[in-house]
Amino acid sequence: MNRSPNGSSSRSLSASLTRPRLSALAASVVLVLGPVLALPAVGAASASAAPMSAPAPVSVPAPVTASAQLPRPTGPHPVGRSTLHLVDRDRPDPWVPSAGPRQLMVSMYYPARPGTGGPTAPYMTTEEARHLIELRAPDVTVPPEVISGVRTWAHTDARPARGRFPLVVLSPGFTFPRATLTGLAEDLAGRGYAVALVDHPYENAGTTLPDGRTLPCAICDEFSTIGGDAVAESRARDVSFVLDRLTGRHPAWRYARVIDARRIGMAGHSIGGNSAAATMAGDARVRAGVNMDGTFFSKVPEGGLDGRPFLMFGAEARHGDESWHRTWADLDGWKRWMTVAGTDHGSFTDVPLLADLVGIPDTAQVPYERSLALTRAYVAAFFDLHLKGAPQPLLDGPSPDNPEVSVRLP
């Protein structure tokens, strides 16, 4: 076992997941991939959910089979998905200036009307899966279609449900495509949120553009030179641009009318979680944020985030992360520090499922279905409280239904 500078305990990733050329700090943000282990279900997943104001105990979906499908979203709404290609013509790409303006790919998930839309959306493109395998597991022999073929629940371009919904922006971990947060994105949409899941090109294994090109990772070798703070600050600019294009007078998304621009939150994994805080520091539109197991390379201002709420949700290794202790002291609004025993850095994403598909063993004690169920429940409870105003006792202390989760209160 190696202790990474990012604060996660993991198997030696240099042997099985990381190309030797990756820098030490870049390797530190590599997620732990692992198999899906069977866990006795404590309840069956359902297409319906308890009322938002009364969170139900976390239930564990059935174990993943060889024909892999993400666990069913737990909310009452069917889910739709659209894909946006956004170009910031006022900003050159920060990592590859010769590429021209900054380009972003965004998956929009949203509550949908039953029976509308096309087939379920693809998990990722085959080329994105190929790039991910080449970067993270170059020795495996499974075809990329095994990963790109993971079945989802969202239907392409389904008609949105009536009403207006809070918007949650999601940002993935460094080197990982946006698809690795699909399990969380679909669940939030099913619970009544519009979700903008953002890819940050040249920072992940591969991003496929509408013209068919797949942009490779340009800075995987340079993370320690560039600095995590620079990456987080660049992502903050990405997200502010996305908000401009979703909530401005001429929005880029055909269904933008469903977004309630007064209720915007952001969550992210790893550097994406740090980016949530960095975005809030510079953009008052984001009212609430979540960091899922990411080091705070970019510091929260000493004066805090103007009283806005923030959730720190991570593995036990974060107790040894000085940046978490520093940030906890600086946060000036509602705050919680929640630790999930038996998890590692990748447990808050779909990565353990993908690892199982390529035959890489897990190091986390908590299986994928359970860690995803916990992540879904606590992230949704946080946004239900702060964007919908629904009381959430789940956030006020330990829950007998979720003994893995410890809660630190102010």
Side-chain angles (χ1 to χ4, degrees):
M1 299 286 285
N2 289 344
R3 179 74 62 183
S4 76
N6 198 39
S8 61
S9 296
S10 68
R11 181 182 302 270
S12 175
L13 300 179
S14 61
S16 59
L17 301 180
T18 314
R19 291 189 177 191
R21 60 183 179 81
L22 287 179
S23 68
L25 189 53
S28 77
V29 294
V30 173
L31 306 189
V32 177
L33 304 183
V36 179
L37 306 179
L39 183 73
V42 298
S46 170
S48 299
M52 296 297 180
S53 59
V58 173
S59 61
V60 180
V64 175
T65 66
S67 178
Q69 184 172 31
L70 296 173
R72 180 189 294 271
T74 59
H77 298 281
V79 179
R81 196 193 82 175
S82 301
T83 303
L84 302 179
H85 175 225
L86 304 180
V87 181
D88 186 352
R89 301 196 181 280
D90 294 327
R91 179 186 173 212
D93 190 276
W95 315 125
V96 185
S98 61
R102 180 65 162 163
Q103 300 185 74
L104 301 171
M105 294 301 298
V106 182
S107 295
M108 296 298 305
Y109 294 86
Y110 52 95
R113 298 187 192 184
T116 65
T120 53
Y123 184 70
M124 64 172 71
T125 69
T126 301
E127 281 304 301
E128 286 170 340
R130 189 188 316 279
H131 280 67
L132 180 61
I133 291 172
E134 289 177 354
L135 184 69
R136 288 286 158 251
D139 295 330
V140 304
T141 58
V142 299
E145 289 82 2
V146 172
I147 288 179
S148 63
V150 169
R151 291 179 293 144
T152 67
W153 295 90
H155 289 268
T156 55
D157 293 318
R159 295 175 63 191
R162 292 181 175 86
R164 301 183 73 200
F165 305 97
L167 172 67
V168 174
V169 181
L170 296 179
S171 180
F174 185 70
T175 77
F176 278 85
R178 68 189 189 277
T180 54
L181 291 180
T182 301
L184 176 59
E186 289 189 329
D187 191 69
L188 285 169
R191 293 174 185 255
Y193 291 88
V195 179
L197 178 51
V198 183
D199 242 343
H200 307 273
Y202 299 118
E203 301 173 26
N204 60 32
T207 302
T208 300
L209 300 180
D211 64 7
R213 289 180 299 147
T214 298
L215 306 180
C217 190
I219 62 170
C220 286
D221 294 338
E222 303 170 16
F223 189 89
S224 57
T225 301
I226 293 170
D229 56 342
V231 175
E233 296 295 335
S234 176
R235 289 195 176 197
R237 296 186 65 182
D238 288 348
V239 171
S240 288
F241 173 69
V242 170
L243 295 181
D244 291 343
R245 299 296 289 120
L246 291 177
T247 65
R249 292 183 62 184
H250 303 287
W253 183 36
R254 62 185 295 195
Y255 298 138
R257 64 184 181 276
V258 307
I259 295 174
D260 184 347
R262 301 166 301 173
R263 297 184 291 167
I264 297 175
M266 181 176 173
H269 173 252
S270 196
I271 196 70
N274 185 190
S275 302
T279 302
M280 291 178 69
D283 195 325
R285 292 175 294 182
V286 183
R287 292 180 47 187
V290 182
N291 181 349
M292 297 183 293
D293 207 59
T295 296
F296 289 92
F297 293 104
S298 177
K299 297 180 180 179
V300 168
E302 291 184 3
L305 297 172
D306 299 322
R308 285 169 290 169
F310 202 87
L311 171 63
M312 299 160 59
F313 190 74
E316 289 177 303
R318 289 298 160 192
H319 290 301
D321 185 335
E322 186 276 333
S323 75
W324 276 48
H325 290 278
R326 180 190 67 235
T327 299
W328 177 256
D330 288 337
L331 291 172
D332 61 333
W334 185 102
K335 60 184 178 181
R336 295 290 186 271
W337 179 335
M338 294 188 163
T339 298
V340 187
T343 58
D344 60 22
H345 192 52
S347 296
F348 308 95
T349 73
D350 299 336
V351 169
L353 169 62
L354 307 186
D356 180 54
L357 295 177
V358 299
I360 297 174
D362 198 1
T363 58
Q365 297 174 2
V366 176
Y368 163 70
E369 296 93 341
R370 179 63 177 170
S371 60
L372 179 64
L374 291 168
T375 300
R376 285 173 162 184
Y378 282 88
V379 171
F382 173 79
F383 288 124
D384 283 352
L385 174 62
H386 296 292
L387 298 183
K388 294 184 177 181
Q392 299 295 320
L394 187 64
L395 303 175
D396 293 335
S399 167
D401 296 308
N402 306 318
E404 304 96 329
V405 182
S406 62
V407 182
R408 180 175 177 179
L409 303 172

